[in-house]
Amino acid sequence: SQQGEEDPQALSIQEGENATMNCSYKTSINNLQWYRQNSGRGLVHLILIRSNEREKHSGRLRVTLDTSKKSSSLLITASRAADTASYFCATGRRDDKIIFGKGTRLHILP
Amino acid sequence: DSGVTQTPKHLITATGQRVTLRCSPRSGDLSVYWYQQSLDQGLQFLIQYYNGEERAKGNILERFSAQQFPDLHSELNLSSLELGDSALYFCASSVAPGTEGTIYFGEGSWLTVV
């Protein structure tokens, strides 16, 4: 069964706007990672946040983690056409498994 | 380029057949992960190896098996193939065992079972 569940399943926004994606999970984790996948390609690592961290930034990306609510969010600021992709959260669990959600499909409109 | 190499890139085979997917991890990485991605099931964790030993097992069918060789490359064997096995199979690698670090994905092997 899937661990992470991304929300929304799909998101369309205008170029330049901010995009926010959420991820919820069920069990205790060591860390949570976000990945991007362009259609039919391999997944590319974006950012890792550890269970004792609350927020992390990387360029236009901001990730938050709330372990009490078992949720994380990924914010992409000032979106660009090249950000069109699927975004996945992956939970690093205590049983050594890295489990992915079903992803959010992000479409940036020109 | 992640440095993870998967072969073949595309494969079409008939039901009941057996195929082997191959993965070369990034130089220096000791962990190898296998994932299956299909439209209806998303990205499913199959199995992880670390330095030749099985580390964690996910939703891997009994018809599937994997191993990691002394040179650290890995193979995923899929047998008695069914139509529902058609998917994109990813290999990923990392330096550390478990969930400690970033995992790097290959471009995947597209399997079509007809």
Side-chain angles (χ1 to χ4, degrees):
Chain A
S1 63
Q2 297 291 346
Q3 165 74 318
E5 292 289 340
E6 288 90 343
D7 169 57
Q9 290 186 344
L11 178 63
S12 292
I13 61 172
Q14 294 294 135
E15 192 168 10
E17 293 181 341
N18 295 341
T20 299
M21 287 158 272
N22 302 296
C23 169
S24 60
Y25 57 92
K26 296 174 182 169
T27 63
S28 296
I29 62 172
N30 296 323
N31 56 53
L32 187 144
Q33 305 185 52
W34 284 90
Y35 287 79
R36 184 186 75 232
Q37 183 183 31
N38 292 93
S39 181
R41 304 292 303 277
L43 281 77
V44 175
H45 179 259
L46 296 176
I47 197 164
L48 180 152
I49 186 166
R50 301 194 187 285
S51 60
N52 61 353
E53 297 175 310
R54 291 297 166 256
E55 187 170 315
K56 207 159 182 181
H57 296 255
S58 176
R60 295 184 295 113
L61 305 180
R62 173 178 169 256
V63 168
T64 62
L65 179 64
D66 186 336
T67 53
S68 67
K69 294 181 179 178
K70 290 186 168 59
S71 68
S72 173
S73 68
L74 170 67
L75 169 67
I76 303 174
T77 60
S79 63
R80 305 167 181 169
D83 296 329
T84 293
S86 292
Y87 292 81
F88 295 85
C89 69
T91 48
R93 303 189 332 188
R94 304 273 168 94
D95 60 0
D96 277 354
K97 296 177 183 177
I98 300 176
I99 303 297
F100 285 76
K102 291 191 175 183
T104 291
R105 294 187 309 279
L106 175 64
H107 185 55
I108 308 300
L109 304 168
Chain B
D1 182 6
S2 67
V4 179
T5 304
Q6 289 187 246
T7 57
K9 286 186 171 37
H10 296 89
L11 190 57
I12 301 174
T13 191
T15 54
Q17 295 298 304
R18 172 190 170 95
V19 299
T20 297
L21 309 180
R22 194 178 191 278
C23 170
S24 294
R26 292 188 325 152
S27 178
D29 284 0
L30 299 178
S31 280
V32 169
Y33 310 75
W34 286 98
Y35 287 86
Q36 177 195 56
Q37 186 177 35
S38 58
L39 282 175
D40 56 343
Q41 292 295 323
L43 204 65
Q44 295 279 335
F45 169 67
L46 296 179
I47 199 164
Q48 182 206 354
Y49 283 85
Y50 177 74
N51 204 20
E53 299 290 327
E54 182 181 306
R55 177 87 183 188
K57 206 166 187 175
N59 301 325
I60 187 165
L61 299 173
E62 285 191 11
R63 299 183 286 109
F64 296 179
S65 65
Q67 55 183 324
Q68 185 180 28
F69 294 89
D71 67 352
L72 301 177
H73 91 271
S74 178
E75 292 181 356
L76 178 66
N77 300 295
L78 316 174
S79 61
S80 302
L81 286 167
E82 302 174 357
L83 296 177
D85 298 326
S86 295
L88 183 53
Y89 290 84
F90 284 111
C91 171
S93 73
S94 69
V95 170
T99 64
E100 285 307 307
T102 299
I103 59 174
Y104 296 88
F105 279 77
E107 290 297 310
S109 292
W110 283 96
L111 173 65
T112 302
V113 182
V114 297

